[in-house]
Amino acid sequence: MNIRKSMYRLVIVLSVVPFLIFSLLLTFTYNTELKKVVQESLEAVANSQLAEMVDFCEQQRNNLDILGSMDVSQAALRGELDEDTVKYLDNILYSRVLATQYLKSVVLLDTNDCIIASSNESSVVYDNTGLDALIKRMKGNSFYISDALRYRNNGQEVQSVVAIAEITDNDRVLGYALSEINLDFYDNIRKRAKLWNESTFYLLDGGQNIISAGTQEHKRESFVTTYAERKDYQEKYNAIDFAAHPQGSFIYQVDGNSYITYYSNVEYTDWRIMLSVNMDRFLNQGQISLLLLGFLVLLCAVLTALLGRFASRRIVQPIHQISDTLNRIQQNQDYTLRIEAIRKDELGTLSEEINSLLTFIETENRYKDKRERLLQDLAQKDALTQVYNTENIRKYLSNAIDHHQSDGTPMAVLFVDVDDFKAFNTNYGHGVGDQALLFIASLLVRETGGIVGRVGGDEFLSIVEEQGSLEALENCLDWVNDPAHSRFVLRGSSESLHVACSIGAVIVDFNGYYAERITADQLMGMADAAMYEAKNNGKCGYVIQRF
């Protein structure tokens, strides 16, 4: 039962005399409060979308900073790498593109705009962006995302944006890292946005070109109104000082309808997020109620106070409840709060829609936390093999020693060196060398049952803590160096190669007196010495020491 039918029933049953002044005041309050609710809800959704955009920009900045801080990248920009090592760097960039759905390419350029390394053989986009203009638009900042780029590649029109970051060494600019981002990523943001009916999401670049626009279900390539129809919008928009007011809203008329748009600038870009909603859709019900009440006031004038109390309880108080809930959410940033929707009228429907928006924002926050945890995991991994890097495997070893010293349980440390690794690169190329490293890393993870890290070019460390794996350690090491098991097939051929290793293993029993004082560096040194002993014994073998 909607609000209008409830009023009709009460008037008919009680023969109420409606009141003109109160009905006017009631409708004004209804419209005013509803406008406030719509604006606050639209702001909450826009802030959620802006947070996702900011997080994405920060992620791109971190990715390019990590790439630029790599020794091999800086060496390439200084022109210190040979051709094979540059190809190795190309493979690293290519693996990053494969691991990220929205990336189309990644390149390194020197200060003369020359491509030093690239994930793709063809980098046509970087010949069309106007790199000097792009660098100028950075305005002295170390990171920037360009406006939408449109160019033709192999006869087809391509659209994307470019993220650019400075690569420096001792405050000297060596060059730039650039990544080309597919615009489909921003369409996914639009598709995930929980918008009201007749509301539209816009993401515009600095030239007012559409990056992504439309509703959750329907994409827009351009504005659906003519320039004359949105003249009022354009005048209001042009009057805003976005530098002084990076966030805000404005109301305008389009084709006789009232719209409200909430806007917000996007950091590291010249872009702007905008959400627009047709206000008349939510206000029409109040206008119809005003006409009906105005007509009834000519017939009745007896129970004004009763009808006023009824209307206040059914309309104004629920709107205040919605507004108060949104205020508490905005002040406490607690998106778990919900509006109690026990009504089946228009305000009940509005409460359910707002609750759906809040659920969407809460889900997006959880997605943001998950993405941050993923970035932390990536920072701990070796870029090529995806096992722990040197810093984190050492940290893990120190913590493991503390743990086993406290509970007196044994553990083992394996130092693994690939025999004759240079032969892989010399005879087959760095690409095959990379395959060998990837194979031995996965073999150690699978067979030793321990935590594996890369501590050098072809050197790995494995920390074995499980009792069952310690008891089967010799069988495991025999298996690792057995030619029947330690072979991998070259990509694109049927040829297989054997990866032989020299392995030094140290098993520590922390019940002993001396083991209580051992450090991570000492334990790694002992395992390294055992590995060299195995290498001196003829390679492709292992030496196990107990301490």
Side-chain angles (χ1 to χ4, degrees), residues 231-265:
K231 179 180 179 182
D232 187 43
Y233 158 86
Q234 202 64 49
E235 291 176 353
K236 300 284 181 61
Y237 182 91
N238 294 338
I240 299 173
D241 183 355
F242 292 104
H245 305 286
Q247 290 182 316
S249 62
F250 58 99
I251 298 174
Y252 55 94
Q253 298 286 324
V254 174
D255 199 20
N257 293 318
S258 295
Y259 287 80
I260 180 170
T261 290
Y262 184 85
Y263 66 87
S264 184
N265 294 344

Short mmCIF file of all heavy atoms in Angstrom, two decimals, residues 231-265:
data_model
loop_
_atom_site.label_atom_id
_atom_site.label_comp_id
_atom_site.label_asym_id
_atom_site.label_seq_id
_atom_site.Cartn_x
_atom_site.Cartn_y
_atom_site.Cartn_z
N LYS A 231 22.57 22.95 -22.09
CA LYS A 231 23.20 24.28 -21.95
C LYS A 231 23.30 24.69 -20.48
O LYS A 231 24.33 25.19 -20.03
CB LYS A 231 22.40 25.31 -22.75
CG LYS A 231 22.96 26.72 -22.65
CD LYS A 231 22.13 27.69 -23.47
CE LYS A 231 22.69 29.11 -23.33
NZ LYS A 231 21.87 30.09 -24.09
N ASP A 232 22.20 24.49 -19.72
CA ASP A 232 22.23 24.86 -18.31
C ASP A 232 23.29 24.07 -17.56
O ASP A 232 24.01 24.60 -16.71
CB ASP A 232 20.85 24.61 -17.68
CG ASP A 232 20.77 25.13 -16.27
OD1 ASP A 232 21.27 26.25 -16.01
OD2 ASP A 232 20.22 24.44 -15.40
N TYR A 233 23.39 22.78 -17.89
CA TYR A 233 24.43 21.94 -17.27
C TYR A 233 25.81 22.49 -17.58
O TYR A 233 26.67 22.62 -16.70
CB TYR A 233 24.31 20.50 -17.79
CG TYR A 233 25.57 19.69 -17.68
CD1 TYR A 233 25.88 19.01 -16.51
CD2 TYR A 233 26.47 19.60 -18.75
CE1 TYR A 233 27.04 18.27 -16.39
CE2 TYR A 233 27.62 18.86 -18.64
CZ TYR A 233 27.91 18.20 -17.47
OH TYR A 233 29.07 17.48 -17.35
N GLN A 234 26.06 22.85 -18.87
CA GLN A 234 27.39 23.30 -19.25
C GLN A 234 27.75 24.61 -18.56
O GLN A 234 28.90 24.81 -18.14
CB GLN A 234 27.45 23.47 -20.77
CG GLN A 234 28.85 23.43 -21.35
CD GLN A 234 29.51 22.08 -21.14
OE1 GLN A 234 28.92 21.06 -21.44
NE2 GLN A 234 30.72 22.09 -20.61
N GLU A 235 26.76 25.50 -18.42
CA GLU A 235 27.02 26.78 -17.74
C GLU A 235 27.36 26.55 -16.27
O GLU A 235 28.31 27.17 -15.74
CB GLU A 235 25.81 27.69 -17.87
CG GLU A 235 25.58 28.20 -19.30
CD GLU A 235 24.32 29.04 -19.41
OE1 GLU A 235 23.56 29.11 -18.41
OE2 GLU A 235 24.09 29.63 -20.48
N LYS A 236 26.59 25.68 -15.61
CA LYS A 236 26.88 25.40 -14.19
C LYS A 236 28.24 24.72 -14.05
O LYS A 236 29.01 25.02 -13.13
CB LYS A 236 25.79 24.49 -13.62
CG LYS A 236 24.38 25.09 -13.67
CD LYS A 236 24.19 26.14 -12.63
CE LYS A 236 22.77 26.73 -12.67
NZ LYS A 236 21.73 25.74 -12.43
N TYR A 237 28.53 23.80 -14.96
CA TYR A 237 29.80 23.06 -14.90
C TYR A 237 30.99 24.00 -15.12
O TYR A 237 32.00 23.94 -14.40
CB TYR A 237 29.77 21.95 -15.96
CG TYR A 237 30.99 21.08 -15.98
CD1 TYR A 237 31.04 19.92 -15.21
CD2 TYR A 237 32.10 21.38 -16.77
CE1 TYR A 237 32.15 19.10 -15.22
CE2 TYR A 237 33.21 20.57 -16.80
CZ TYR A 237 33.24 19.43 -16.03
OH TYR A 237 34.33 18.62 -16.04
N ASN A 238 30.90 24.89 -16.14
CA ASN A 238 32.01 25.80 -16.45
C ASN A 238 32.24 26.82 -15.35
O ASN A 238 33.34 27.38 -15.24
CB ASN A 238 31.74 26.52 -17.77
CG ASN A 238 31.74 25.58 -18.96
OD1 ASN A 238 32.33 24.50 -18.90
ND2 ASN A 238 31.08 25.97 -20.05
N ALA A 239 31.22 27.07 -14.52
CA ALA A 239 31.36 28.06 -13.45
C ALA A 239 32.09 27.51 -12.22
O ALA A 239 32.44 28.28 -11.33
CB ALA A 239 29.98 28.58 -13.04
N ILE A 240 32.34 26.22 -12.18
CA ILE A 240 32.97 25.60 -11.01
C ILE A 240 34.48 25.77 -11.09
O ILE A 240 35.10 25.51 -12.13
CB ILE A 240 32.61 24.11 -10.91
CG1 ILE A 240 31.10 23.94 -10.77
CG2 ILE A 240 33.33 23.45 -9.74
CD1 ILE A 240 30.65 22.50 -10.84
N ASP A 241 35.09 26.19 -9.99
CA ASP A 241 36.55 26.22 -9.85
C ASP A 241 36.98 24.88 -9.26
O ASP A 241 36.99 24.70 -8.04
CB ASP A 241 36.97 27.39 -8.96
CG ASP A 241 38.49 27.52 -8.85
OD1 ASP A 241 39.21 26.65 -9.39
OD2 ASP A 241 38.96 28.46 -8.20
N PHE A 242 37.34 23.93 -10.13
CA PHE A 242 37.63 22.59 -9.65
C PHE A 242 38.91 22.52 -8.83
O PHE A 242 39.08 21.60 -8.03
CB PHE A 242 37.72 21.61 -10.84
CG PHE A 242 36.42 21.39 -11.52
CD1 PHE A 242 36.14 21.98 -12.74
CD2 PHE A 242 35.44 20.60 -10.93
CE1 PHE A 242 34.92 21.78 -13.37
CE2 PHE A 242 34.22 20.38 -11.55
CZ PHE A 242 33.96 20.99 -12.78
N ALA A 243 39.82 23.49 -9.02
CA ALA A 243 41.04 23.50 -8.20
C ALA A 243 40.70 23.85 -6.75
O ALA A 243 41.23 23.26 -5.81
CB ALA A 243 42.05 24.48 -8.77
N ALA A 244 39.80 24.82 -6.58
CA ALA A 244 39.40 25.21 -5.22
C ALA A 244 38.36 24.27 -4.64
O ALA A 244 38.29 24.10 -3.42
CB ALA A 244 38.85 26.65 -5.25
N HIS A 245 37.55 23.67 -5.49
CA HIS A 245 36.48 22.76 -5.03
C HIS A 245 36.58 21.44 -5.78
O HIS A 245 35.82 21.19 -6.73
CB HIS A 245 35.11 23.41 -5.26
CG HIS A 245 34.96 24.76 -4.63
ND1 HIS A 245 34.81 24.95 -3.28
CD2 HIS A 245 34.99 26.01 -5.19
CE1 HIS A 245 34.71 26.24 -3.02
NE2 HIS A 245 34.82 26.91 -4.16
N PRO A 246 37.53 20.56 -5.39
CA PRO A 246 37.71 19.30 -6.12
C PRO A 246 36.55 18.33 -5.98
O PRO A 246 36.43 17.41 -6.77
CB PRO A 246 38.99 18.72 -5.50
CG PRO A 246 39.04 19.33 -4.12
CD PRO A 246 38.47 20.71 -4.27
N GLN A 247 35.67 18.55 -4.98
CA GLN A 247 34.50 17.70 -4.80
C GLN A 247 33.29 18.59 -4.56
O GLN A 247 33.40 19.64 -3.92
CB GLN A 247 34.68 16.75 -3.62
CG GLN A 247 35.69 15.64 -3.85
CD GLN A 247 35.77 14.70 -2.67
OE1 GLN A 247 35.80 15.14 -1.53
NE2 GLN A 247 35.80 13.40 -2.93
N GLY A 248 32.13 18.16 -5.05
CA GLY A 248 30.93 18.94 -4.81
C GLY A 248 29.79 18.44 -5.67
O GLY A 248 29.84 17.36 -6.25
N SER A 249 28.73 19.26 -5.76
CA SER A 249 27.57 18.88 -6.56
C SER A 249 26.91 20.15 -7.09
O SER A 249 27.13 21.26 -6.57
CB SER A 249 26.57 18.07 -5.73
OG SER A 249 26.09 18.85 -4.64
N PHE A 250 26.08 20.00 -8.13
CA PHE A 250 25.32 21.13 -8.66
C PHE A 250 24.04 20.61 -9.28
O PHE A 250 23.95 19.45 -9.72
CB PHE A 250 26.14 21.94 -9.67
CG PHE A 250 26.63 21.15 -10.84
CD1 PHE A 250 25.95 21.18 -12.06
CD2 PHE A 250 27.77 20.38 -10.76
CE1 PHE A 250 26.40 20.46 -13.15
CE2 PHE A 250 28.22 19.65 -11.85
CZ PHE A 250 27.55 19.68 -13.04
N ILE A 251 23.01 21.46 -9.31
CA ILE A 251 21.68 21.10 -9.82
C ILE A 251 21.43 21.91 -11.08
O ILE A 251 21.77 23.10 -11.16
CB ILE A 251 20.60 21.39 -8.77
CG1 ILE A 251 20.84 20.52 -7.52
CG2 ILE A 251 19.21 21.11 -9.33
CD1 ILE A 251 19.89 20.83 -6.37
N TYR A 252 20.81 21.30 -12.10
CA TYR A 252 20.59 21.96 -13.39
C TYR A 252 19.35 21.36 -14.05
O TYR A 252 18.78 20.38 -13.58
CB TYR A 252 21.82 21.78 -14.29
CG TYR A 252 22.22 20.35 -14.48
CD1 TYR A 252 21.78 19.60 -15.56
CD2 TYR A 252 23.04 19.72 -13.54
CE1 TYR A 252 22.13 18.27 -15.72
CE2 TYR A 252 23.41 18.39 -13.69
CZ TYR A 252 22.96 17.67 -14.77
OH TYR A 252 23.31 16.36 -14.92
N GLN A 253 18.93 21.98 -15.14
CA GLN A 253 17.75 21.57 -15.89
C GLN A 253 18.18 21.02 -17.25
O GLN A 253 19.00 21.63 -17.95
CB GLN A 253 16.80 22.75 -16.08
CG GLN A 253 16.25 23.36 -14.81
CD GLN A 253 15.19 22.47 -14.18
OE1 GLN A 253 14.41 21.83 -14.87
NE2 GLN A 253 15.16 22.45 -12.86
N VAL A 254 17.58 19.88 -17.63
CA VAL A 254 17.77 19.32 -18.96
C VAL A 254 16.40 18.89 -19.48
O VAL A 254 15.75 18.03 -18.88
CB VAL A 254 18.74 18.12 -18.96
CG1 VAL A 254 18.78 17.47 -20.35
CG2 VAL A 254 20.13 18.54 -18.54
N ASP A 255 15.94 19.52 -20.57
CA ASP A 255 14.67 19.17 -21.19
C ASP A 255 13.52 19.22 -20.19
O ASP A 255 12.65 18.36 -20.16
CB ASP A 255 14.76 17.77 -21.81
CG ASP A 255 13.67 17.53 -22.84
OD1 ASP A 255 13.09 18.52 -23.35
OD2 ASP A 255 13.38 16.35 -23.11
N GLY A 256 13.52 20.23 -19.31
CA GLY A 256 12.44 20.42 -18.35
C GLY A 256 12.53 19.59 -17.10
O GLY A 256 11.67 19.69 -16.22
N ASN A 257 13.54 18.75 -16.96
CA ASN A 257 13.72 17.91 -15.77
C ASN A 257 14.88 18.42 -14.93
O ASN A 257 15.89 18.92 -15.47
CB ASN A 257 13.99 16.46 -16.18
CG ASN A 257 12.79 15.82 -16.83
OD1 ASN A 257 11.66 16.01 -16.38
ND2 ASN A 257 13.01 15.07 -17.90
N SER A 258 14.74 18.25 -13.62
CA SER A 258 15.79 18.67 -12.69
C SER A 258 16.74 17.50 -12.45
O SER A 258 16.30 16.38 -12.15
CB SER A 258 15.20 19.13 -11.36
OG SER A 258 14.42 20.29 -11.54
N TYR A 259 18.04 17.77 -12.55
CA TYR A 259 19.06 16.77 -12.30
C TYR A 259 20.04 17.29 -11.25
O TYR A 259 20.23 18.50 -11.12
CB TYR A 259 19.86 16.45 -13.57
CG TYR A 259 19.10 15.63 -14.58
CD1 TYR A 259 18.18 16.23 -15.44
CD2 TYR A 259 19.32 14.26 -14.70
CE1 TYR A 259 17.49 15.48 -16.38
CE2 TYR A 259 18.63 13.51 -15.64
CZ TYR A 259 17.71 14.13 -16.47
OH TYR A 259 17.03 13.38 -17.39
N ILE A 260 20.64 16.36 -10.52
CA ILE A 260 21.72 16.70 -9.61
C ILE A 260 22.92 15.83 -9.99
O ILE A 260 22.77 14.63 -10.25
CB ILE A 260 21.33 16.49 -8.13
CG1 ILE A 260 22.51 16.88 -7.21
CG2 ILE A 260 20.91 15.05 -7.85
CD1 ILE A 260 22.14 16.92 -5.75
N THR A 261 24.08 16.44 -10.03
CA THR A 261 25.33 15.73 -10.37
C THR A 261 26.33 15.93 -9.26
O THR A 261 26.60 17.08 -8.84
CB THR A 261 25.91 16.24 -11.70
OG1 THR A 261 25.06 15.82 -12.76
CG2 THR A 261 27.31 15.66 -11.93
N TYR A 262 26.88 14.84 -8.76
CA TYR A 262 27.99 14.89 -7.80
C TYR A 262 29.28 14.61 -8.55
O TYR A 262 29.36 13.65 -9.32
CB TYR A 262 27.80 13.87 -6.68
CG TYR A 262 28.87 13.96 -5.62
CD1 TYR A 262 28.76 14.86 -4.57
CD2 TYR A 262 30.01 13.17 -5.71
CE1 TYR A 262 29.75 14.98 -3.63
CE2 TYR A 262 31.01 13.27 -4.76
CZ TYR A 262 30.87 14.17 -3.71
OH TYR A 262 31.86 14.29 -2.77
N TYR A 263 30.31 15.45 -8.34
CA TYR A 263 31.57 15.29 -9.06
C TYR A 263 32.73 15.20 -8.06
O TYR A 263 32.64 15.64 -6.92
CB TYR A 263 31.80 16.47 -10.01
CG TYR A 263 32.02 17.80 -9.28
CD1 TYR A 263 33.29 18.19 -8.86
CD2 TYR A 263 30.95 18.64 -9.00
CE1 TYR A 263 33.48 19.38 -8.18
CE2 TYR A 263 31.13 19.83 -8.32
CZ TYR A 263 32.41 20.20 -7.92
OH TYR A 263 32.60 21.37 -7.24
N SER A 264 33.84 14.63 -8.53
CA SER A 264 35.06 14.55 -7.72
C SER A 264 36.26 14.35 -8.64
O SER A 264 36.21 13.55 -9.58
CB SER A 264 34.97 13.39 -6.72
OG SER A 264 36.10 13.37 -5.89
N ASN A 265 37.32 15.12 -8.40
CA ASN A 265 38.55 14.96 -9.16
C ASN A 265 39.25 13.67 -8.77
O ASN A 265 39.11 13.17 -7.65
CB ASN A 265 39.50 16.13 -8.92
CG ASN A 265 38.95 17.44 -9.45
OD1 ASN A 265 38.01 17.45 -10.25
ND2 ASN A 265 39.50 18.55 -9.01
#
